[in-house]
Amino acid sequence: MKPGKELLFLALGGSGEIGMNVNLYGCDGKWLMVDCGITFADPGLPGVDVILPDLSFIEDRIDDLVGIVLTHGHEDHIGALPYLAQDLGVPLYAAPFTAGLIREKLDSEGIADKVKLKMVEPNRPYKLGPFTVNHIPLAHSIPEGNALVIETPYGRVFHSGDWKLDEDPVLGTPSTAAELEAIGDKGVLALMCDSTNVFNDAASGSESAVRAGLDSVIGAAEGRVLVTTFASNAARLHTLGQVAEDTGRKLVVAGRSLDRIIKVARAAGYLKDFPETVDFDQAMKLPAREVMIVATGGQGEPRAALARIASGSHPLKLSKGDLVVFSSKQIPGNETAIGRIQNQLAGAGVQMITDRQAHVHVSGHPGRPELELMYKWIRPEILVPVHGELRHLTEHARFAMEKGIRRAVVQENGSLIRLAPGAPSLVSHEPVGRLVIDGDVILPADGSTMQERRRVAAYGQVSVAAAVDKRGKLAGDPQIRTQGLPVEEDRDDFIAEAVAAVEEALDSGAKGDKRQEAVRLAVRRTAVRWTGKKPVVDVMLLAV
């Protein structure tokens, strides 16, 4: 697929899911990538924390890729760059704060000198092949969130990125209604729009309003207070700095990602009035009423600061009567992990407040009233919902058409859409997939390694080693080891029966590879009789 005299759109991630955003625009033989993010693994991928998009589609057309443009600095938009950008071999274009976050990531991987990273300013268009790109500031929960106006010979696209409306933003200056209307006045073919909060009937609200809610909650607390939020939410960090001063508490920061965000934000001109922090030792020596901890881990991440504090394995300690404030939204899929930490905190007598009990969080994504205003200002011919699960995308399309948008295209990862010329249409379904970071290696999420690991995790594993003489008879007792097989106190009896099964299989007269398979099946049948499970059985026959 080489784009012709047309405008194409293809999502390789982020459509049909929340996270791992990767979008491609194609025209006149060239492709432009917008964002390159990650998502996080669930228990179906044991031993894996981070999932990357499979970029095989564009890697096969690498000579036609003109650049990667980043809308903002959240992990689901930039997190894959340290692992994939060098191989893609094209420049990255980002606003200064986002560029700072990317530079930190590239430095940590030792590839900063191998990837071109170019800083761009808002409302200063630049050309990449047949595309002219302009960054349009919008409010979000991180500094320098941007929509993109992408000009092509076949129409203008408004790619929203993640956004919200905020009349009193804490950091940054988003575009005004008049500025957005002026973009719409020029004509917009397609609006690619954030669908995360399409089911919310209310607007997301202003970040500045959270300060009063946090002041009230933290001001009333008698012991230590820990506030957990998304590390990248620099606007919330600014608010928390103000709250610490409002309530007369010393601030302590726990989490390397928080340290990194604060460092990059200050370098980019933000958080200049963030209060000086105290270290862990100082914090624990201060009266409890004078301490406020800001920590990572509100989504239940097992290695983050909050999990370690909850388990008692961190230098910072919480005790009965202390308070933990979850100043973030619970991401679907993280309920179990968050609940596990909350149960640990409850067991220690720690009180907890979430956004269900008090006004301690606002979302960075648009609710229905904000979406409706964006439609009014931009007035696209076509709406393409992105950044959402299929239920979000379909509801967004329905809502937009109800509000007067003439056409809406529901697409998912891999749906190659022709936006122009003519009516929007599905061209093809292109292959998409997921990669996992497993230790220091990148693997296919559905490859043999992960399939084997899932099988071992689900069914257990049995290893059989036996010495066999020239006649095919056992030369000594077989050695059998089990892992994760539910035999517990019956293990010795199970192994004895499995040894007998090995002997019987070798006496069957099978030759060569068939002999090894006969042993494997015999041991697995024994395991099924004992446990009802079909474990992974590995057999090694040694000729002596």
Side-chain angles (χ1 to χ4, degrees):
M1 167 54 65
K2 193 177 184 74
K5 300 294 182 180
E6 58 191 344
L7 176 56
L8 302 175
F9 175 76
L10 172 64
L12 299 181
S15 288
E17 63 186 342
I18 293 178
M20 204 175 73
N21 297 281
V22 186
N23 300 287
L24 292 170
Y25 291 92
C27 76
D28 289 352
K30 299 297 181 182
W31 292 97
L32 173 71
M33 183 181 292
V34 174
D35 292 331
C36 190
I38 60 170
T39 191
F40 296 99
D42 58 30
L45 292 167
V48 171
D49 293 326
V50 174
I51 300 175
L52 308 174
D54 185 340
L55 302 184
S56 297
F57 175 88
I58 195 63
E59 287 170 349
D60 292 342
R61 300 158 177 83
I62 200 70
D63 291 342
D64 298 331
L65 182 64
V66 295
I68 304 173
V69 180
L70 292 314
T71 57
H72 66 283
H74 277 146
E75 289 295 298
D76 60 332
H77 293 259
I78 68 169
L81 292 173
Y83 311 103
L84 303 177
Q86 184 178 352
D87 289 339
L88 292 172
V90 294
L92 315 180
Y93 297 83
F97 177 74
T98 305
L101 293 176
I102 294 169
R103 178 65 63 192
E104 288 276 319
K105 289 178 173 294
L106 298 178
D107 279 338
S108 68
E109 291 295 314
I111 59 170
D113 60 339
K114 299 175 183 176
V115 177
K116 291 182 180 178
L117 177 57
K118 300 188 177 184
M119 284 193 287
V120 297
E121 297 294 335
N123 298 306
R124 292 190 178 180
Y126 54 95
K127 194 167 179 61
L128 295 174
F131 307 94
T132 300
V133 182
N134 194 7
H135 290 241
I136 309 298
L138 292 180
H140 188 39
S141 56
I142 191 170
E144 299 175 9
N146 288 280
L148 304 173
V149 172
I150 303 173
E151 305 256 6
T152 79
Y154 311 100
R156 182 181 293 107
V157 171
F158 189 95
H159 185 104
S160 79
D162 293 2
W163 66 281
K164 63 184 285 186
L165 298 181
D166 193 336
E167 294 181 356
D168 189 15
V170 170
L171 298 179
T173 305
S175 301
T176 64
E179 289 168 331
L180 294 171
E181 277 191 300
I183 292 170
D185 289 344
K186 293 181 180 179
V188 173
L189 171 67
L191 167 60
M192 277 50 187
C193 194
D194 181 355
S195 308
T196 310
N197 281 349
V198 70
F199 292 104
N200 291 8
D201 289 326
S204 293
S206 174
E207 176 63 33
S208 60
V210 177
R211 180 177 177 179
L214 288 166
D215 275 344
S216 176
V217 166
I218 294 170
E222 295 297 328
R224 289 188 186 90
V225 173
L226 183 152
V227 183
T228 181
T229 190
F230 296 110
S232 58
N233 193 340
R236 187 65 43 80
L237 294 178
H238 176 83
T239 299
L240 292 173
Q242 294 176 318
V243 170
E245 294 179 336
D246 294 344
T247 57
R249 291 175 179 265
K250 296 292 185 182
L251 201 60
V252 55
V253 174
R256 283 178 294 179
S257 54
L258 282 169
D259 293 332
R260 183 173 64 251
I261 289 289
I262 292 169
K263 171 186 171 184
V264 173
R266 283 175 164 164
Y270 303 103
L271 300 183
K272 291 295 188 183
D273 55 354
F274 193 72
E276 289 299 317
T277 59
V278 298
D279 62 29
F280 298 162
D281 289 338
Q282 289 175 286
M284 293 308 299
K285 292 174 183 176
L286 289 169
R289 179 63 182 78
E290 298 179 11
V291 177
M292 177 174 154
I293 303 164
V294 180
T296 55
Q299 298 304 310
E301 302 95 317
R303 289 190 287 274
L306 178 59
R308 293 164 53 212
I309 292 170
S311 68
S313 60
H314 193 281
L316 293 171
K317 308 294 181 185
L318 295 177
S319 55
K320 186 175 181 179
D322 290 343
L323 174 67
V324 172
V325 179
F326 287 81
S327 184
S328 57
K329 181 181 179 180
Q330 181 172 281
I331 295 175
N334 291 342
E335 296 87 352
T336 300
I338 296 171
R340 186 179 300 115
I341 289 173
Q342 290 179 339
N343 285 330
Q344 287 179 305
L345 293 169
V350 175
Q351 301 175 41
M352 286 165 279
I353 289 178
T354 72
D355 61 343
R356 296 179 182 179
Q357 288 85 45
H359 189 54
V360 295
H361 176 65
V362 291
S363 175
H365 300 272
R368 290 186 183 226
E370 293 153 290
L371 291 171
E372 190 171 355
L373 284 169
M374 187 63 79
Y375 305 156
K376 175 185 174 183
W377 296 329
I378 299 300
R379 286 155 283 153
E381 297 176 34
I382 308 163
L383 174 85
V384 182
V386 293
H387 203 293
E389 299 172 3
L390 186 57
R391 62 193 175 97
H392 298 90
L393 306 184
T394 54
E395 177 62 16
H396 193 172
R398 189 203 64 76
F399 178 70
M401 295 184 73
E402 179 185 289
K403 298 302 177 182
I405 303 294
R406 288 195 304 130
R407 291 175 173 147
V409 177
V410 176
Q411 48 79 49
E412 292 183 88
N413 295 339
S415 300
L416 182 60
I417 305 297
R418 179 181 291 112
L419 297 172
S425 60
L426 175 66
V427 176
S428 61
H429 290 285
E430 299 298 331
V432 292
R434 296 180 162 210
L435 305 174
V436 299
I437 301 176
D438 191 38
D440 294 329
V441 180
I442 296 176
L443 299 169
D446 59 353
S448 60
T449 296
M450 296 313 301
Q451 289 175 358
E452 288 169 3
R453 190 173 300 168
R454 281 190 288 266
R455 285 198 297 270
V456 170
Y459 304 114
Q461 188 261 352
V462 180
S463 297
V464 180
V468 181
D469 63 23
K470 294 179 180 179
R471 298 173 299 160
K473 302 296 183 182
L474 277 171
D477 293 334
Q479 298 297 305
I480 295 179
R481 299 288 184 271
T482 67
Q483 293 188 86
L485 205 63
V487 288
E488 303 295 335
E489 68 272 7
D490 298 325
R491 186 181 303 272
D492 290 343
D493 292 337
F494 164 74
I495 289 177
E497 188 169 322
V499 166
V502 172
E503 293 171 345
E504 184 178 343
L506 290 173
D507 286 340
S508 67
K511 305 291 185 183
D513 292 343
K514 291 183 179 179
R515 177 191 298 162
Q516 188 162 324
E517 179 66 6
V519 170
R520 189 187 72 83
L521 292 174
V523 172
R524 193 173 73 164
R525 282 193 293 267
T526 303
V528 171
R529 286 197 300 273
W530 277 76
T531 69
K533 286 180 169 287
K534 296 180 178 179
V536 175
V537 179
D538 295 315
V539 178
M540 182 174 66
L541 299 181
L542 179 63
V544 296

